[in-house]
Amino acid sequence: MVWALGAVAVACGVAVFVVDSMARATFALLASFLCTGGLLMAAGLHYPGVLVILMMIMEMLVMAVFMVMYMMNPAGLMPMSMLHNRRGALAVAGTAFAAMVAGIVAVPWPERAGRPPDEPAVALGEAIMGSKMLVMMVIGVAILATMIATVVLAMKSGRYGDDA
Amino acid sequence: MAEVAVLGVLAVAAASLDALLGGRRWDAPLREAARLLTTARRATVRSDVPLMRTGVVVLPVAAAVAAAVVPVGGGVAAGVPVSVVWFNAMEVVAWAAVWLVGWGTNSAFALVGGYRFLAQGLAYELPHMFALVTAALAAHSLDFREIAAAQDGLWFGVWMPVGFAVYLVSALAMTFWGPFGHPVGDDVAGGAVLELSGADRLVFFAGRYGLLAVAAAASVPLFLGGGAGPVLPGWAWSVVKAAVVLALLVWARRRLPVLRMERFMTAAWTVLIPAVLLQMLVVGIVVV
């Protein structure tokens, strides 16, 4: 299962650079992300896994709009390629890949200590935020309030009135 | 799997009820299905067939996979501990389905319909999410079964009416149904589904009825006490409650006009989200 999901994720990642339309590339990338979410779920991390699936669908759909909008041809229906600056990209990608593989091989991985927690989501939250949990919750609400306020202000009937 | 089949039957019943309310015979949807199955598909010039087909197929699949985590009585097809989030993720698949269909057929009005749904989705996903979170917060769990069990005696729908109302409104919007049918509106000649024909059209609309049925069924463990009730067994109460909510949603389509999205989006951001946030605050204070 894990290997199959990983293989599909990689295949879809490759497809992003093979297909000739922005819409197809977007959804190939989305498929790749969904497989990653599935991998998290297969690892027993249900909440982060489902969250990745939920967020990635929303995010990629919004991104599809912008990606198509900013393309060279207005409708985005003309064939296109995701490959630019091949030589430079190949060098950067090759170096990054080599560095990461070297890291995997060279780093002495720690042995597992203890057993996995009953509630991985709670443990993950504690590990990431710890004593900053309360601060994060307050900031989260503040960010949301800012988002809503921004939208309200940006609306036609908002800050500048109807004839602005 | 029986739970998924029950919701499938409810979806067909919803289509029948919609036909009856529209002044047609109860079996009109079945006849329409038979007609669509025997009709040749119409092809548009330079359409992106793989993307369009993906959009068509993914809608009923999402409805079925969402139905798998919604409990009917005490039983559930797939016992996921974070079923509320899973349910929401599958609802959001509808965004992809509508946009893909609108884009894939390479037709201007269809494309307009597809883009409309993304704007609609963004405005309604937040209130929808907060309505779900409100129920989850009160039950201290993201599991439908535990949320249903937490409503011992007092239904969440009774003491968090704003959350329930926002859930129902946003559920209509997430399934682009009735007053929120702008993405498939008549003013753009049918919008996203304009070019769908034959089996494609059947599968897509079946998926939408499925999603509607699942959204109605999910309101039962979330706000209506799950399978709790006198005399009848749990599963029967779940089905009865889901059927009542579903009938209400179907009825709303015939009673309410289609709303222009850009107008109602204002209401979504300035009324629905603050209202449901206040509801969440009240619930949070009561629970903690």
Side-chain angles (χ1 to χ4, degrees), chain B residues 8 52 75 99 122 127 142 194 208 211 226 263 266 270:
Chain B
M52 185 269 281
W99 192 84
L122 283 176
L142 287 169
L194 168 62
R208 180 164 80 154
L211 217 51
R263 279 195 183 167
T266 313
T270 54

Side-chain angles (χ1 to χ4, degrees), chain B residues 89-156:
Chain B
M90 289 306 110
E91 274 189 310
V92 173
V93 169
W95 295 16
V98 174
W99 192 84
L100 281 170
V101 165
W103 168 271
T105 45
N106 193 14
S107 158
F109 283 146
L111 192 62
V112 173
Y115 277 120
R116 274 182 181 178
F117 193 52
L118 284 185
Q120 173 173 330
L122 283 176
Y124 286 95
E125 172 58 18
L126 278 179
H128 193 69
M129 214 182 245
F130 285 126
L132 294 174
V133 168
T134 307
L137 174 69
H140 291 291
S141 172
L142 287 169
D143 191 331
F144 275 126
R145 289 166 296 177
E146 286 181 33
I147 294 174
Q151 301 171 54
D152 211 12
L154 189 58
W155 291 358
F156 283 173

